[in-house]
Amino acid sequence: MYYSQFLSRVCMPHAVLLQPKESWNSSKSNDEIIVGHCTKVPRNSNLEKLRSGYLFPEISRHESEHLQKNPDASLIRLGIGDTTQPIPDTITLAMAEQVRGLSTIQGYRGYGAEQGNMALRKAIAGKFYQDMGIKANEIFVSDGAQCDISRLQMLLGSNVTVAVQDPSFPAYIDSSVVVGQAGELEEETGKYGNIIYMNCGPENDFFPDLSTIPRTDIIFLCSPNNPTGHAASWQQLKQLVEFAEANGSIIVHDSAYAAYIRDGSPRSIFAIPGAKEVAIEISSFSKFAGFTGVRLGWTVVPEELLYSNGFPVIKDFNRIVCTCFNGASNIAQAGGLACLSTDGYHDLCKVIDYYMENAKILVDGFTSLGWKVYGGKNAPYIWVHFPGMSSWNVFAEILKKTNIVTVPRRGFGPAGEEYIRVSAFGQRQNILEAIRRLNSFL
Amino acid sequence: MSLMNNLSTSMISSSSSTFFAPTSFNSRTQSVSVPLKSINIVKCVATPQEQQNAYKTKVSRNANIAKLQAGYLFPEVARRRAAHLLKYPNAQVISLGIGDTTEPIPDVITSAMAKRSHALSTLEGYSGYGAEQGEKALRAALASTFYRNLGIEDDDIFVSDGAKCDISRLQVVFGSNVTMAVQDPSYPAYVDSSVIMGQTGQFQKDVEKYGNIEYMRCTPENGFFPDLSKVARTDIIFFCSPNNPTGAAATREQLTRLVKFAKDNGSIIVYDSAYAMYMSDDNPRSIFEIPGAKEVAIETASFSKYAGFTGVRLGWTVIPKQLLFSDGFPVAKDFNRIVCTCFNGASNIAQAGGLACLSSEGLEAMQEVIGFYKENTKIIVETFNSLGFKVYGGKNAPYVWVHFPGRSSWDVFSEILEKTHIVTTPGSGFGPGGEGFIRVSAFGHRENVLEACRRFKQLYN
C-alpha cells in the first residue's frame, strides 16, 4: 500500500509551470520540475476532484513516516482493518488441493464462469440466503467488495444520485467521484455537491433519520457498519426498504461484517420483505474468512430489481461482469467453498470469536479510561468519542505517544470530527499491550 | 428446460446473436467427450406482460450500457455451444473458439501456490491485505524478466487479476471525455469498455461501428497494420501485438511509426502484449523496446496464456513515470489512485504462482507449454492451407485467422458448428473488419486439435 513518489514535470513545448498541487500530492515529496513530453490527453476531471490519496494508503503512509522517525518503535496496527489470524486448515487444504489439481489433466481448469463457480454460488445462497428466496443465479462471485463497489458504479453510470452514511467506508464516496456522480467539491465543507450525506451518530442511534433525507437514486448502507460498528435493527432496515420503495431508489447494502453480528440483528437486507425489489447486497470473505489477501466476495442482484424502464438490473450487471472482469481466482473460490462447509464455517466462527474477544477488551479498556465507546459488539470496530477534538490530531497524538495506529473519523466522511476508529484485528498480545499503553497515555 | 429469454430493449444487430447469455451459465468446460458439466438453466424472468405489473424503481438504466448491441462476444459463443449440445447431446464438441488454455500448469508453479496456501494457515506465513500494486518481489521479477534494459522500474508495474480487468480500470482512469482508436478487428473488451465508459456514440447499424470510435482497419492488404495516414487523431490508441484475433505481429518499423504517430498527436497507446511470448519472429515483444515509447505508452500483459492462468487470474500493467496528461500530471498517479480505490490487489496465492513462473525453471516450463500450443497452431495452419484457404496469423500467436471471402462469419461459424461440432469464433465479433474471417484458436489437447483438423478436411474437401 506504499505508493512511490512522483516527480512533477514541465511539458514541452508549452512549458506550463505547474502550480504546486499539494492537494493531489499528499506525500510530502519535493516537486522537481523536469522537462518532458506531455501528451494531449486531458486528465480525467473526476479524478482531480479527489483531494488526497485513498484513506488506507494514507494511513500506511503515516505509519511509514512515523517508523522512519522512530525506527525502534514497536508499532501496534489497529488502523487498517486487516485480518491477522491464520486461515483454518480445512480451507487452505482445499485451496492447495485445487492448486495441485491444476497440474493434472482432470483437475485443470481454465476460464471459469465470470459469475463464479456454480457450486460456490449455490453454497452462498444456501448458507446466507436460506428462506430469503435468493437464488444461486442472483449471486455473482467476485474478488472482493471493494472491486464490486466500483463495478456497481460502472453499472449505474454518472447520471445517478447517491446517498451515503456519514461516516462511511470511503470507497462509496471515492468511487462515486471517480465515476462522475458526485458533482463539485465544496472546499470549505469537504462535501461533494451531488452526494447526500446521511449523518449517523449517537443522537440517531447511528442510523440515518430518513425523514430528513432527500430522494437519491442510490443509497449506500453498511451494516454492521464500518466504521461505527452499528448493526441496523430489523425495524431500521424495514424503514429503509420502505423509504427506498417510496422513492423508487436502490439500496446498496454492504454486509461485509454480517458474520460478526451477535445480537440477532438481520444479517442480510433480504431478510426484510420487499427488499428484493429495491436492494443489491455486497459481501466479502475478507473479514469472515481472513481472505483479505486471497480475494473473494460476492454481490447479490435479485431478478426482481428493475430500472425505471423495466429492464432488469441483473442483466446489465452480468454484462459488466462479463466485460470488465474475468471471474475470481478459481483457487480462492475453492477456498470459499470450503469456508461454507460445516467444518470450515465452524472453524471460521472461532476466529471471529477471537476478534470479537479483542473487541471486548478494547471496549472495556477505553470505557474504563472514561471514554464513550460505540460499536465493538456486532463488528470488529470500536468507535471512540473524543469530544471537541480534531480526529486527525487525536490520531497523530495516539500514534506519537503510544505507537498505536488507528483511523481518524475525518477519513470516513467530511461532516465530522471527534471520533477514532480502532480495529479489533490483531494478535491478542498486541491488543492487550495496546490497552496497557493507552492506560498510561490517556 | 428453457434458457433465459432475451428481455433487452436494445437493438439487436443482424450479425450477432439474438439471445443473451444466461446469467448462471458455466459455459467454459473444455473437454471433448464429457458433455457440458452443469447447464444451469435459469427459469424465465418475468415476461414482458408480467413486467408491466412488476415494481420498477425510478432509477434510470445507464444509457451507455444500453448502447451495447448484444452480450459480450465470448459468452455469446459459449451460449451457441451450449445450445448446440442441447441439440446434439452426444456430439463430441471441440472448442477452438474462446481462447481458453487447456494444458495443466507446470508443477514448479503450482507447488509454489500450494506452499503459499498452506502458509496462510500459519502465524509466520499468514498475510492479509497485500499492496494493491502487487507484491514487491513479483513486480521486481516482472521488471527484470520482461523489461530488462528498457528503463522500466519495479514501481512502474502494477500487478492485477488480468488484462481484461486492467483494460476497464484504464478506462476508468481515462474517463468519458477521451476519444479512442482501436484496430479493426480487435479484442472486444476495448470497444465494449469504451461504450460502457461513455466515450462513444450510438451503434451505427449500417457500418456496424460505434460513433466516436476511430476504427483502424487491419487487413491482409495492409499487412494487418493500419495506414496511419488515414487515421484521425484520438486521445487513446489500443494496439494489440501479437494480435488477437488476426495473429499479426507488428514489426519494429511499424511500432516505431506508431510511437511517432502517438508522439506527434499527443496520444496515449495502450499496448496489449498478452501474447508476446508466442512471438516466433524477431519483432518487439514490448512497446518499450521502441525509443520514446515511455512518453506515449502503457502496456498491459497477462499470465493467462503463458502459464495457463486463465482461471487463476494474474496479469500486470506498466505505466512509465514519463507518461503525462496534457497538464503534466503523471498518468501513473491516477492509475495508482484507481488501483487503491477500485481494486484490492491480485490474490496473494496467484502472485506466489506468478513469482514461480518467473524463476528460471518456471520460465522454461512456460516456454514448453507455449511451444505445445504453437505446435497446435502449426497443425491448424497447415490444415487450412492444404484446403486452399487464405490463412493468416498462427506464426506469432495461438490464433489462426481464416478467410472466407464473401461469407457472413456468423454463418460460417454456425455451419462449422453444425457440420463438424467444432466451435470457432466469428470474425465479425471482433469488429466489422473481421467480417469474412473465422478465428480458430490453437488451445486444446493435441488429440482434439488433430481430430478437429480431420473434420475440417472432411467438410472442406
Side-chain angles (χ1 to χ4, degrees):
Chain A
M1 283 173 263
Y2 190 80
Y3 61 87
S4 42
Q5 297 172 350
F6 293 93
L7 308 172
S8 304
R9 280 166 161 76
V10 172
C11 303
M12 289 288 281
H14 309 291
V16 171
L17 248 173
L18 296 171
Q19 293 303 313
K21 285 195 181 164
E22 278 143 18
S23 51
W24 49 256
N25 191 3
S26 52
S27 74
K28 296 187 176 85
S29 65
N30 294 325
D31 281 331
E32 272 183 47
I33 307 297
I34 292 179
V35 167
H37 166 84
C38 279
T39 65
K40 291 196 187 112
V41 181
R43 186 181 176 210
N44 183 345
S45 57
N46 292 328
L47 296 184
E48 278 187 273
K49 294 177 187 167
L50 291 168
R51 271 296 165 267
S52 58
Y54 188 59
L55 174 63
F56 301 109
E58 287 295 289
I59 300 294
S60 280
R61 197 179 53 73
H62 282 280
E63 268 183 40
S64 307
E65 276 173 14
H66 180 78
L67 276 171
Q68 263 174 15
K69 289 190 201 128
N70 309 279
D72 295 327
S74 155
L75 218 53
I76 298 181
R77 291 180 169 86
L78 303 180
I80 294 163
D82 195 7
T83 46
T84 56
Q85 299 314 100
I87 298 171
D89 276 322
T90 341
I91 295 154
T92 52
L93 277 167
M95 294 199 285
E97 202 183 309
Q98 169 81 11
V99 163
R100 278 188 264 269
L102 294 172
S103 275
T104 67
I105 302 218
Q106 324 77 16
Y108 179 74
R109 295 287 177 274
Y111 284 119
E114 297 92 337
Q115 306 82 4
N117 173 299
M118 187 41 87
L120 178 56
R121 295 164 86 189
K122 283 188 177 149
I124 292 170
K127 192 81 197 172
F128 299 115
Y129 302 102
Q130 193 88 3
D131 304 328
M132 294 181 203
I134 295 294
K135 306 185 285 299
N137 70 288
E138 293 168 313
I139 296 175
F140 295 80
V141 178
S142 75
D143 61 328
Q146 183 153 300
C147 320
D148 275 341
I149 287 162
S150 282
R151 277 187 281 268
L152 282 170
Q153 296 286 37
M154 283 193 76
L155 165 76
L156 296 166
S158 56
N159 285 339
V160 295
T161 54
V162 154
V164 296
Q165 289 168 287
D166 192 354
S168 69
F169 180 52
Y172 315 138
I173 292 176
D174 285 17
S175 62
S176 186
V177 175
V178 163
V179 161
Q181 298 160 353
E184 293 305 317
L185 177 66
E186 293 150 17
E187 298 280 0
E188 326 82 59
T189 58
K191 292 188 173 187
Y192 290 94
N194 278 356
I195 295 184
I196 296 299
Y197 296 82
M198 306 185 294
N199 190 56
C200 290
E203 64 285 355
N204 56 15
D205 191 28
F206 292 100
F207 194 82
D209 179 357
L210 296 173
S211 65
T212 66
I213 308 293
R215 181 195 177 278
T216 55
D217 293 305
I218 313 298
I219 306 167
F220 281 94
L221 192 106
C222 177
S223 176
N225 190 261
N226 173 10
T228 69
H230 176 76
S233 65
W234 201 92
Q235 199 47 43
Q236 286 170 332
L237 290 180
K238 181 151 199 319
Q239 260 180 50
L240 181 66
V241 168
E242 285 168 355
F243 181 72
E245 261 163 14
N247 283 341
S249 309
I250 296 178
I251 300 164
V252 175
H253 184 258
D254 186 343
S255 65
Y257 300 94
Y260 287 77
I261 292 178
R262 315 250 113 174
D263 68 358
S265 299
R267 292 183 171 218
S268 165
I269 190 75
F270 302 114
I272 312 298
K276 286 203 300 245
E277 294 170 322
V278 301
I280 290 170
E281 182 158 287
I282 58 183
S283 197
S284 172
F285 282 85
S286 284
K287 309 299 161 68
F288 160 53
F291 268 31
T292 38
V294 175
R295 308 309 315 147
L296 194 69
W298 73 89
T299 288
V300 184
V301 185
E303 283 168 345
E304 292 90 331
L305 187 66
L306 308 177
Y307 286 116
S308 55
N309 67 353
F311 194 85
V313 177
I314 192 176
K315 274 190 90 105
D316 276 353
F317 189 65
N318 185 62
R319 188 45 150 108
I320 295 286
V321 155
C322 289
T323 307
C324 307
F325 185 53
N326 229 332
S329 176
N330 55 21
I331 302 165
Q333 293 195 62
L337 203 52
C339 288
L340 304 180
S341 69
T342 319
D343 285 343
Y345 192 78
H346 172 259
D347 291 343
L348 288 177
C349 285
K350 292 222 267 254
V351 182
I352 291 170
D353 285 345
Y354 180 90
Y355 291 133
M356 287 311 282
E357 185 60 36
N358 284 352
K360 186 166 186 301
I361 292 168
L362 289 165
V363 168
D364 291 345
F366 276 99
T367 307
S368 70
L369 289 167
W371 299 101
K372 198 100 182 78
V373 171
Y374 302 95
K377 299 215 162 57
N378 289 301
Y381 296 122
I382 320 299
W383 193 235
V384 189
H385 194 198
F386 290 85
M389 301 184 67
S390 137
S391 56
W392 274 109
N393 284 349
V394 178
F395 165 87
E397 269 294 284
I398 292 178
L399 181 57
K400 188 165 152 204
K401 300 268 170 70
T402 67
N403 294 310
I404 297 172
V405 188
T406 57
V407 188
R409 189 246 182 272
R410 196 67 208 258
F412 296 103
E417 293 287 355
E418 301 190 357
Y419 287 85
I420 288 287
R421 187 192 82 174
V422 184
S423 123
F425 298 111
Q427 302 269 304
R428 183 60 49 78
Q429 65 263 29
N430 290 338
I431 303 292
L432 293 167
E433 171 64 16
I435 293 297
R436 270 193 289 274
R437 293 185 195 177
L438 288 164
N439 267 314
S440 36
F441 162 63
L442 292 170
Chain B
M1 293 194 289
S2 59
L3 295 169
M4 187 164 97
N5 284 328
N6 165 23
L7 295 169
S8 170
T9 53
S10 63
M11 284 198 325
I12 294 159
S13 127
S14 56
S15 66
S16 65
S17 163
T18 54
F19 294 92
F20 284 68
T23 57
S24 64
F25 228 86
N26 184 355
S27 48
R28 285 169 164 173
T29 55
Q30 66 258 332
S31 58
V32 170
S33 44
V34 176
L36 201 62
K37 282 185 185 130
S38 53
I39 301 178
N40 296 290
I41 306 300
V42 179
K43 77 169 189 346
C44 289
V45 182
T47 63
Q49 180 58 49
E50 282 168 24
Q51 258 188 293
Q52 274 160 36
N53 304 324
Y55 171 85
K56 299 193 254 285
T57 67
K58 292 198 186 109
V59 180
S60 306
R61 185 184 180 206
N62 184 343
N64 292 324
I65 303 183
K67 292 174 186 158
L68 291 168
Q69 289 307 290
Y72 187 62
L73 173 63
F74 301 110
E76 287 295 305
V77 170
R79 200 202 52 74
R80 299 267 186 135
R81 178 183 182 277
H84 183 79
L85 269 168
L86 280 178
K87 199 169 155 196
Y88 303 101
N90 296 318
Q92 313 271 53
V93 170
I94 300 180
S95 295
L96 302 179
I98 296 164
D100 194 7
T101 47
T102 56
E103 300 313 288
I105 298 174
D107 276 325
V108 58
I109 297 161
T110 49
S111 53
M113 295 198 285
K115 191 165 164 207
R116 186 68 183 263
S117 302
H118 287 302
L120 292 172
S121 277
T122 68
L123 267 173
E124 328 75 43
Y126 179 77
S127 59
Y129 284 119
E132 295 91 337
Q133 306 83 0
E135 291 179 355
K136 278 203 157 78
L138 178 56
R139 295 166 87 187
L142 286 166
S144 68
T145 304
F146 295 106
Y147 305 102
R148 199 182 289 264
N149 301 324
L150 297 181
I152 296 295
E153 295 172 332
D154 299 359
D155 60 2
D156 294 329
I157 298 179
F158 296 79
V159 179
S160 74
D161 61 328
K164 189 185 198 194
C165 318
D166 276 341
I167 286 161
S168 281
R169 277 186 282 267
L170 282 168
Q171 296 285 37
V172 171
V173 171
F174 296 139
S176 56
N177 284 339
V178 295
T179 52
M180 60 160 248
V182 291
Q183 288 166 290
D184 181 17
S186 71
Y187 178 55
Y190 315 139
V191 167
D192 285 17
S193 61
S194 184
V195 175
I196 288 169
M197 276 310 299
Q199 297 162 356
T200 78
Q202 292 293 339
F203 187 73
Q204 294 149 7
K205 275 205 77 165
D206 50 345
V207 289
E208 308 246 302
K209 294 181 179 184
Y210 289 92
N212 227 31
I213 296 185
E214 182 74 6
Y215 290 77
M216 307 185 292
R217 190 51 79 101
C218 291
T219 61
E221 292 72 35
N222 62 16
F224 297 102
F225 189 81
D227 179 355
L228 295 174
S229 69
K230 302 219 170 79
V231 175
R233 182 201 174 272
T234 56
D235 293 304
I236 314 297
I237 306 168
F238 280 93
F239 197 88
C240 177
S241 176
N243 190 262
N244 175 11
T246 68
T251 63
R252 188 166 307 268
E253 186 271 328
Q254 287 169 332
L255 291 179
T256 306
R257 274 193 278 138
L258 182 67
V259 167
K260 179 173 193 309
F261 181 73
K263 187 111 187 233
D264 292 344
N265 281 343
S267 308
I268 295 177
I269 300 165
V270 175
Y271 189 80
D272 187 341
S273 67
Y275 300 94
M277 285 181 76
Y278 284 79
M279 192 85 75
S280 303
D281 296 333
D282 184 26
N283 298 312
R285 280 145 172 77
S286 164
I287 190 69
F288 302 116
E289 294 182 39
I290 310 300
K294 290 206 290 276
E295 294 174 320
V296 302
I298 291 169
E299 183 160 298
T300 64
S302 172
F303 282 89
S304 282
K305 309 298 161 66
Y306 299 162
F309 269 28
T310 38
V312 173
R313 308 308 314 146
L314 194 70
W316 70 94
T317 288
V318 183
I319 308 196
K321 297 179 181 67
Q322 297 90 327
L323 186 67
L324 311 175
F325 286 116
S326 57
D327 65 351
F329 195 84
V331 178
K333 257 192 106 101
D334 274 350
F335 189 71
N336 185 65
R337 185 48 150 105
I338 294 298
V339 154
C340 289
T341 307
C342 307
F343 185 53
N344 229 330
S347 179
N348 48 17
I349 300 169
Q351 293 193 62
L355 198 55
C357 285
L358 303 180
S359 67
S360 50
E361 209 189 323
L363 282 166
E364 214 178 294
M366 287 200 299
Q367 291 287 12
E368 228 180 279
V369 182
I370 289 169
F372 173 85
Y373 291 131
K374 284 168 77 89
E375 185 60 34
N376 281 353
T377 321
K378 196 158 171 286
I379 293 167
I380 296 169
V381 167
E382 275 164 8
T383 300
F384 280 98
N385 270 330
S386 73
L387 291 166
F389 285 96
K390 268 253 175 306
V391 173
Y392 305 96
K395 192 147 187 272
N396 295 299
Y399 296 121
V400 184
W401 192 236
V402 187
H403 198 197
F404 287 80
R407 297 197 60 190
S408 139
S409 55
W410 274 107
D411 285 348
V412 178
F413 166 90
S414 298
E415 180 186 67
I416 292 176
L417 182 57
E418 184 69 28
K419 298 203 175 138
T420 68
H421 306 303
I422 298 173
V423 187
T424 56
T425 313
S428 62
F430 299 98
E435 187 58 286
F437 290 87
I438 287 288
R439 187 193 79 173
V440 184
S441 116
F443 298 109
H445 298 320
R446 183 60 51 80
E447 63 270 18
N448 292 337
V449 172
L450 291 168
E451 171 63 17
C453 289
R454 270 192 287 274
R455 296 183 196 176
F456 284 132
K457 286 188 175 137
Q458 245 187 326
L459 176 63
Y460 289 116
N461 247 326

